[in-house]
Amino acid sequence: MAQTSAPHFPSGKPRVVVTRHLMPSVEARMRELYDAVLNESDTPMNREQLCAAMKDCDVLVPTVTDRIDAEMIAQCGERLGLIANFGAGTEHIDLKAAAERKIIVTNTPGVFTDDTADIAMAMILGVPRRIREGTQLVRRGEWTGWAPSGLLGRKIGGKVLGIVGMGRIGQAVAHRARAFGLDIAYYARKPLPEAAERMFAARFVGDLDTLVAEADILTLHCPLTEETRGMIDARRIGLMKQGASLINTARGELIDHEALIEALHSGRLAGAGLDVYPDEPNVDQRLLGHPNVMTLPHIGSATAEGREASGEKVIANIRFWADGHRPPDQVLTGLI
């Protein structure tokens, strides 16, 4: 077990290392407030560079592309006191190891909720209506004109939308989906309050297998944990309706991609909408080659407004910590 130490607070301007290029306004503010080391080239740091940065800063500002494990935290020395993550997810950081070293971890929850829900909704609509296939047909110059039986998709209204995970993003998707006449069912660790269920016209399904089997469109909005890793595996994909669609804007590792590809190419699933992948930025060529798989480059949170708001949350967390106060978005409690 790594040796623990007292929480560290800098006496002057904290040295802050930012691992990726952020919004210009956010970086300008960081230069003003801190001894900021910025990544102007936006080239992801390798493990060796991350370790060196962690030994030479008070605050590390990583993103989801930076894997920070227990060994790296154990070797970081005594200076690092705060890991101020840019983004809501923290599965790329060993939180237990950070807690043992009294290193505060913060994130930026809530700012990407609507942005991610919008992208999910685009795919919920786009996959059953074969949007990608139609767009490619036009771009290749192969469209011969309107026909009564041409490029038939599936109706959206009245279909069952199964939402796995009913946190902020899941609820935002339900809010949007209701306007399109979808029958909303959801699986979560516990049901929403009755008033919230009425607001979203959503019904709780306490068994994931039951939800998977019932859904015409299944959309994933849960964090990546040891429990959820691979949760949509070959068995569960086998439970899905013939011609159903699968949408994922959460984490690529939630789905067994070999099982997904097999189901797509056998015709069991009509299509999929994917914004995340197990080995980003690599995407399996079999997914790219399927006519009805919408493949997006992890852009669920990619709005200027959202990225700026996330950067401002990072700055606020650093300011609270540097002043000796508990940061507003502290992931681990009891360290200050």
Side-chain angles (χ1 to χ4, degrees), residues 2-206:
Q3 182 179 357
T4 60
S5 57
H8 162 72
F9 303 102
S11 56
K13 277 190 176 184
R15 184 174 180 82
V16 177
V17 173
V18 183
T19 67
R20 299 297 298 268
H21 179 50
L22 303 182
M23 295 294 290
S25 61
V26 172
E27 292 190 337
R29 187 69 173 143
M30 285 191 169
R31 285 192 186 97
E32 177 186 340
L33 293 171
Y34 314 124
D35 175 14
V37 180
L38 305 175
N39 186 345
E40 311 239 351
S41 71
D42 200 32
T43 304
M45 291 183 174
N46 59 33
R47 184 183 178 85
E48 182 179 350
Q49 291 169 326
L50 277 171
C51 286
M54 291 167 68
K55 293 176 182 177
D56 190 37
C57 69
D58 303 296
V59 180
L60 182 74
V61 181
T63 72
V64 69
T65 63
D66 303 306
R67 303 295 175 183
I68 302 172
D69 58 32
E71 182 181 353
M72 297 168 70
I73 291 172
Q75 297 175 2
C76 71
E78 298 299 320
R79 184 171 185 180
L80 181 66
L82 174 65
I83 298 175
N85 187 61
F86 180 91
T90 55
E91 69 275 3
H92 55 292
I93 303 169
D94 191 315
L95 300 179
K96 181 180 178 182
E100 290 174 350
R101 292 295 299 266
K102 301 295 189 293
I103 296 171
I104 307 296
V105 178
T106 61
N107 64 347
T108 62
V111 294
F112 298 132
T113 297
D114 287 332
D115 301 331
T116 305
D118 288 345
I119 286 292
M121 199 66 220
M123 293 194 288
I124 288 167
L125 299 174
V127 172
R129 293 303 303 271
R130 300 169 68 181
I131 296 296
R132 177 192 174 184
E133 193 173 351
T135 300
Q136 290 182 327
L137 192 69
V138 174
R139 287 180 175 272
R140 291 196 303 262
E142 297 174 3
W143 182 48
T144 58
W146 182 89
S149 59
L151 208 66
L152 298 179
R154 293 178 181 262
K155 187 177 178 67
I156 302 297
K159 295 297 191 295
V160 177
L161 175 67
I163 300 177
V164 182
M166 204 61 162
R168 292 185 182 94
I169 297 173
Q171 291 179 40
V173 169
H175 176 69
R176 287 155 174 77
R178 182 181 183 185
F180 287 90
L182 284 152
D183 176 10
I184 301 163
Y186 72 96
Y187 170 81
R189 286 176 293 182
K190 60 182 180 179
L192 295 173
E194 186 178 344
E197 288 192 335
R198 287 199 304 270
M199 180 174 64
F200 298 124
R203 52 189 173 84
F204 177 66
V205 178

Side-chain angles (χ1 to χ4, degrees), residues 123 248 255 257 260 272-277 287 293-296:
M123 293 194 288
N248 188 13
I255 299 174
H257 271 231
L260 171 62
L274 305 173
D275 188 40
V276 288
Y277 310 89
L287 291 172
V293 177
M294 294 181 70
T295 48
L296 301 181

